[in-house]
Amino acid sequence: MLPDLRAQLGAMLFRRVAGPDGREARARIHDTPGPRWFGPDRPIRTVHGDASMFIGGVSALLLQSLHPLAMAAVDAHSGYRGDPWGRLQRTSAFLAVTTYGTAADARAAVDQVRGIHEHVRGHTRQGEPYHAADPHLLGWVHTAETECFLRAHERYGAHRLDAAGYDGYAGDTATVAEALGVSDPPRDRRALSDRLESYRPELRATPEARAVARFLLLEPPVPLAARPLYGALAANAVNLLPDWARGLLRLPRVPLVEDLTVRPAGHLLTRAIRWAMAPPPPSP
């Protein structure tokens, strides 16, 4: 019974994240011969292959929403409400290809995203123009995402890295960011923190950002039976945010409750995801 439950849970999670053609895509990404951007010993493979990415991903979406230009572009062009799982699967596929795929496939994925960004233009409600291909705006999306993935892995990762390893992770992600059009992306953890801080004067919680927070935290597109598990994931995603970001989104901190219940739940949840999605042992 236990192996069957494990297989069913793992298959369900994998379908949600990778889509109906996920197994074929995974085989193509990992089994196609050719040089890669990142070798098997690189930190980006350790971080992006860990269950902590589930928490880091939600946290990154909340943090990214605080830039009014980036949020306006997402609100007008991404269709995240109408097709949230499709958006997750496309993001997951991009991360998988650029992290594990051949250099040719990684370049093709980057070129496709750059082509999409080139056509995403518009104005905020206040009349501010935005363009998704703007290097400064791309830099914000990259910095927020990398910071959250790194924080999540440092707290919940199965095989946590040392300081040099997390510097290496920032450097690895900078390779992808530069290919996407980010100018001078941060290449170590200190530079990543400094870059995040440099964006703070531009950030605010717009109505669109608060709508994203409500959608992710209160109206998630998950079955009722899965709401308690998702609630633990969402609570840990919020707990991962910097205090100033929580303040902008009006997500108060309750230190004793979060330390005694939220963080332990996050560790249990990531262990459960890791257990469910682990490959079965080889047959004798």
Side-chain angles (χ1 to χ4, degrees):
M1 289 294 293
L2 197 59
D4 289 344
L5 174 63
R6 180 178 187 170
Q8 290 171 10
L9 286 173
M12 180 187 69
L13 284 170
F14 186 76
R15 279 196 304 272
R16 285 294 191 182
V17 173
D21 301 323
R23 293 192 182 279
E24 293 79 3
R26 180 171 62 183
R28 185 170 61 252
I29 289 168
H30 289 274
D31 297 343
T32 300
R36 263 75 176 160
W37 281 359
F38 308 107
D41 60 337
R42 293 306 305 166
I44 193 171
R45 289 192 169 214
T46 301
V47 174
H48 289 179
D50 191 82
S52 60
M53 289 285 284
F54 282 80
I55 293 174
V58 175
S59 191
L61 292 174
L62 291 168
L63 186 57
Q64 288 169 343
S65 76
L66 289 173
H67 198 293
L69 301 185
M71 189 59 244
V74 168
D75 188 63
H77 299 275
S78 77
Y80 74 90
R81 282 185 175 276
D83 185 24
W85 293 112
R87 188 169 190 269
L88 170 64
Q89 290 156 12
R90 290 188 291 274
T91 301
S92 173
F94 179 81
L95 287 171
V97 170
T98 52
T99 302
Y100 305 104
T102 65
D105 286 346
R107 170 54 65 182
V110 164
D111 289 346
Q112 182 181 28
V113 170
R114 292 192 70 156
I116 293 169
H117 285 167
E118 195 60 42
H119 294 92
V120 176
R121 302 170 181 263
H123 291 79
T124 67
R125 293 185 183 189
Q126 291 72 35
E128 301 168 280
Y130 62 77
H131 182 200
D134 174 11
H136 182 71
L137 205 55
L138 287 169
W140 162 251
V141 173
H142 165 73
T143 299
E145 178 181 271
T146 303
E147 176 73 12
C148 289
F149 288 168
L150 191 155
R151 283 182 178 225
H153 189 271
E154 186 175 45
R155 184 176 296 176
Y156 302 109
H159 304 289
R160 297 170 198 174
L161 305 175
D162 58 14
Y166 286 120
D167 281 345
Y169 174 66
D172 288 346
T173 63
T175 297
V176 182
E178 199 163 43
L180 281 168
V182 177
S183 300
D184 188 28
R187 298 184 182 276
D188 58 41
R189 190 166 191 182
R190 174 71 177 272
L192 184 67
S193 297
D194 290 346
R195 188 67 56 86
L196 186 69
E197 187 69 19
S198 74
Y199 277 99
R200 282 189 61 183
E202 303 173 34
L203 307 181
R204 62 181 184 269
T206 61
E208 293 85 357
R210 287 191 288 272
V212 164
R214 284 194 302 272
F215 181 73
L216 291 173
L217 304 178
L218 302 177
E219 307 163 2
V222 298
L224 285 175
R227 289 288 176 93
L229 293 176
Y230 182 85
L233 186 152
N236 278 277
V238 170
N239 185 261
L240 209 62
L241 290 170
D243 286 343
W244 55 262
R246 292 183 65 160
L248 289 173
L249 288 169
R250 302 173 187 170
L251 300 170
R253 184 178 294 279
V254 187
L256 187 60
V257 172
E258 294 187 21
D259 290 344
L260 293 179
T261 62
V262 172
R263 289 196 185 191
H267 286 289
L268 287 173
L269 180 64
T270 47
R271 287 174 191 149
I273 293 171
R274 209 172 282 126
W275 171 80
M277 299 191 73
S283 301

Short mmCIF file of all heavy atoms in Angstrom, two decimals, residues 70-97:
data_model
loop_
_atom_site.label_atom_id
_atom_site.label_comp_id
_atom_site.label_asym_id
_atom_site.label_seq_id
_atom_site.Cartn_x
_atom_site.Cartn_y
_atom_site.Cartn_z
N ALA A 70 6.56 45.43 -13.16
CA ALA A 70 6.53 43.98 -13.39
C ALA A 70 5.14 43.42 -13.14
O ALA A 70 4.65 42.58 -13.90
CB ALA A 70 7.56 43.29 -12.49
N MET A 71 4.48 43.91 -12.08
CA MET A 71 3.15 43.40 -11.74
C MET A 71 2.13 43.81 -12.78
O MET A 71 1.23 43.03 -13.12
CB MET A 71 2.75 43.92 -10.35
CG MET A 71 1.48 43.27 -9.81
SD MET A 71 1.60 41.49 -9.65
CE MET A 71 0.37 40.95 -10.82
N ALA A 72 2.25 45.02 -13.31
CA ALA A 72 1.32 45.45 -14.36
C ALA A 72 1.45 44.57 -15.59
O ALA A 72 0.45 44.21 -16.23
CB ALA A 72 1.57 46.91 -14.71
N ALA A 73 2.68 44.21 -15.95
CA ALA A 73 2.90 43.34 -17.11
C ALA A 73 2.30 41.96 -16.88
O ALA A 73 1.65 41.39 -17.76
CB ALA A 73 4.40 43.23 -17.39
N VAL A 74 2.50 41.41 -15.68
CA VAL A 74 1.93 40.10 -15.36
C VAL A 74 0.41 40.15 -15.38
O VAL A 74 -0.26 39.27 -15.94
CB VAL A 74 2.44 39.63 -13.98
CG1 VAL A 74 1.65 38.41 -13.50
CG2 VAL A 74 3.92 39.29 -14.05
N ASP A 75 -0.15 41.19 -14.78
CA ASP A 75 -1.59 41.31 -14.68
C ASP A 75 -2.25 41.42 -16.05
O ASP A 75 -3.31 40.85 -16.30
CB ASP A 75 -1.95 42.52 -13.83
CG ASP A 75 -3.44 42.60 -13.52
OD1 ASP A 75 -3.95 41.68 -12.86
OD2 ASP A 75 -4.08 43.57 -13.95
N ALA A 76 -1.59 42.13 -16.96
CA ALA A 76 -2.19 42.37 -18.27
C ALA A 76 -1.91 41.28 -19.29
O ALA A 76 -2.69 41.09 -20.23
CB ALA A 76 -1.70 43.72 -18.82
N HIS A 77 -0.81 40.55 -19.12
CA HIS A 77 -0.38 39.66 -20.20
C HIS A 77 -0.21 38.20 -19.83
O HIS A 77 -0.12 37.35 -20.74
CB HIS A 77 0.95 40.17 -20.78
CG HIS A 77 0.89 41.54 -21.36
ND1 HIS A 77 0.49 41.78 -22.66
CD2 HIS A 77 1.13 42.75 -20.80
CE1 HIS A 77 0.52 43.08 -22.90
NE2 HIS A 77 0.90 43.70 -21.80
N SER A 78 -0.14 37.84 -18.53
CA SER A 78 0.23 36.46 -18.21
C SER A 78 -0.96 35.52 -18.13
O SER A 78 -0.80 34.31 -18.30
CB SER A 78 0.99 36.41 -16.88
OG SER A 78 0.10 36.52 -15.79
N GLY A 79 -2.16 36.03 -17.81
CA GLY A 79 -3.30 35.15 -17.65
C GLY A 79 -3.16 34.19 -16.50
O GLY A 79 -3.64 33.05 -16.56
N TYR A 80 -2.52 34.64 -15.42
CA TYR A 80 -2.24 33.73 -14.31
C TYR A 80 -3.51 33.23 -13.63
O TYR A 80 -3.55 32.12 -13.09
CB TYR A 80 -1.30 34.38 -13.29
CG TYR A 80 -1.94 35.45 -12.41
CD1 TYR A 80 -2.54 35.13 -11.20
CD2 TYR A 80 -1.93 36.79 -12.80
CE1 TYR A 80 -3.12 36.10 -10.40
CE2 TYR A 80 -2.50 37.77 -12.01
CZ TYR A 80 -3.09 37.42 -10.81
OH TYR A 80 -3.66 38.39 -10.02
N ARG A 81 -4.57 34.02 -13.64
CA ARG A 81 -5.82 33.58 -13.01
C ARG A 81 -6.53 32.52 -13.86
O ARG A 81 -7.06 31.55 -13.34
CB ARG A 81 -6.76 34.77 -12.79
CG ARG A 81 -6.39 35.63 -11.61
CD ARG A 81 -7.43 36.72 -11.39
NE ARG A 81 -7.16 37.49 -10.20
CZ ARG A 81 -7.53 37.13 -8.98
NH1 ARG A 81 -8.20 36.02 -8.78
NH2 ARG A 81 -7.24 37.90 -7.94
N GLY A 82 -6.53 32.73 -15.17
CA GLY A 82 -7.25 31.81 -16.03
C GLY A 82 -6.53 30.50 -16.25
O GLY A 82 -7.16 29.46 -16.48
N ASP A 83 -5.18 30.51 -16.18
CA ASP A 83 -4.41 29.30 -16.44
C ASP A 83 -3.21 29.23 -15.50
O ASP A 83 -2.06 29.24 -15.94
CB ASP A 83 -3.95 29.28 -17.90
CG ASP A 83 -3.25 27.99 -18.28
OD1 ASP A 83 -3.50 26.95 -17.62
OD2 ASP A 83 -2.44 28.01 -19.22
N PRO A 84 -3.44 29.17 -14.18
CA PRO A 84 -2.31 29.18 -13.24
C PRO A 84 -1.40 27.97 -13.38
O PRO A 84 -0.19 28.09 -13.28
CB PRO A 84 -2.99 29.22 -11.86
CG PRO A 84 -4.35 28.64 -12.10
CD PRO A 84 -4.74 29.07 -13.48
N TRP A 85 -1.99 26.79 -13.63
CA TRP A 85 -1.16 25.59 -13.74
C TRP A 85 -0.34 25.61 -15.02
O TRP A 85 0.81 25.17 -15.04
CB TRP A 85 -2.03 24.35 -13.67
CG TRP A 85 -2.65 24.17 -12.32
CD1 TRP A 85 -3.97 24.27 -12.00
CD2 TRP A 85 -1.97 23.89 -11.09
NE1 TRP A 85 -4.16 24.08 -10.65
CE2 TRP A 85 -2.95 23.83 -10.07
CE3 TRP A 85 -0.63 23.68 -10.77
CZ2 TRP A 85 -2.62 23.57 -8.74
CZ3 TRP A 85 -0.30 23.42 -9.44
CH2 TRP A 85 -1.29 23.37 -8.45
N GLY A 86 -0.92 26.15 -16.09
CA GLY A 86 -0.16 26.26 -17.33
C GLY A 86 1.04 27.19 -17.16
O GLY A 86 2.13 26.91 -17.66
N ARG A 87 0.83 28.29 -16.44
CA ARG A 87 1.94 29.22 -16.20
C ARG A 87 3.02 28.54 -15.36
O ARG A 87 4.22 28.68 -15.64
CB ARG A 87 1.43 30.47 -15.50
CG ARG A 87 2.48 31.57 -15.39
CD ARG A 87 1.86 32.88 -14.93
NE ARG A 87 2.81 33.97 -15.05
CZ ARG A 87 3.65 34.35 -14.07
NH1 ARG A 87 3.62 33.71 -12.92
NH2 ARG A 87 4.49 35.34 -14.25
N LEU A 88 2.61 27.79 -14.33
CA LEU A 88 3.57 27.07 -13.51
C LEU A 88 4.35 26.06 -14.35
O LEU A 88 5.58 25.94 -14.22
CB LEU A 88 2.84 26.35 -12.37
CG LEU A 88 3.68 25.35 -11.56
CD1 LEU A 88 4.79 26.06 -10.81
CD2 LEU A 88 2.80 24.58 -10.58
N GLN A 89 3.64 25.34 -15.23
CA GLN A 89 4.31 24.32 -16.03
C GLN A 89 5.29 24.94 -17.01
O GLN A 89 6.37 24.39 -17.26
CB GLN A 89 3.25 23.48 -16.74
CG GLN A 89 2.47 22.58 -15.78
CD GLN A 89 1.11 22.20 -16.29
OE1 GLN A 89 0.78 22.40 -17.47
NE2 GLN A 89 0.27 21.64 -15.42
N ARG A 90 4.94 26.09 -17.58
CA ARG A 90 5.87 26.75 -18.51
C ARG A 90 7.12 27.24 -17.77
O ARG A 90 8.25 27.12 -18.28
CB ARG A 90 5.17 27.90 -19.21
CG ARG A 90 4.11 27.45 -20.21
CD ARG A 90 3.57 28.60 -21.03
NE ARG A 90 2.77 29.53 -20.24
CZ ARG A 90 1.48 29.40 -20.00
NH1 ARG A 90 0.82 28.33 -20.44
NH2 ARG A 90 0.82 30.31 -19.29
N THR A 91 6.93 27.78 -16.58
CA THR A 91 8.07 28.23 -15.78
C THR A 91 8.94 27.04 -15.38
O THR A 91 10.18 27.10 -15.44
CB THR A 91 7.59 28.97 -14.52
OG1 THR A 91 6.80 30.09 -14.90
CG2 THR A 91 8.77 29.45 -13.67
N SER A 92 8.30 25.96 -14.95
CA SER A 92 9.02 24.76 -14.56
C SER A 92 9.83 24.21 -15.73
O SER A 92 11.00 23.80 -15.56
CB SER A 92 8.04 23.71 -14.06
OG SER A 92 8.67 22.47 -13.83
N ALA A 93 9.23 24.20 -16.92
CA ALA A 93 9.94 23.69 -18.09
C ALA A 93 11.15 24.55 -18.42
O ALA A 93 12.23 24.03 -18.76
CB ALA A 93 8.98 23.64 -19.28
N PHE A 94 11.00 25.87 -18.29
CA PHE A 94 12.13 26.76 -18.58
C PHE A 94 13.27 26.52 -17.59
O PHE A 94 14.44 26.42 -17.99
CB PHE A 94 11.68 28.22 -18.51
CG PHE A 94 12.79 29.20 -18.77
CD1 PHE A 94 13.18 29.49 -20.07
CD2 PHE A 94 13.47 29.80 -17.71
CE1 PHE A 94 14.22 30.38 -20.31
CE2 PHE A 94 14.50 30.68 -17.95
CZ PHE A 94 14.89 30.97 -19.25
N LEU A 95 12.94 26.40 -16.30
CA LEU A 95 13.98 26.14 -15.30
C LEU A 95 14.67 24.80 -15.57
O LEU A 95 15.89 24.69 -15.45
CB LEU A 95 13.36 26.15 -13.91
CG LEU A 95 12.96 27.51 -13.34
CD1 LEU A 95 12.16 27.32 -12.06
CD2 LEU A 95 14.18 28.37 -13.07
N ALA A 96 13.89 23.79 -15.93
CA ALA A 96 14.46 22.47 -16.17
C ALA A 96 15.40 22.48 -17.38
O ALA A 96 16.50 21.93 -17.32
CB ALA A 96 13.35 21.45 -16.38
N VAL A 97 14.97 23.11 -18.46
CA VAL A 97 15.79 23.11 -19.68
C VAL A 97 17.08 23.89 -19.46
O VAL A 97 18.16 23.44 -19.85
CB VAL A 97 15.00 23.70 -20.86
CG1 VAL A 97 15.91 23.94 -22.06
CG2 VAL A 97 13.86 22.78 -21.26
#
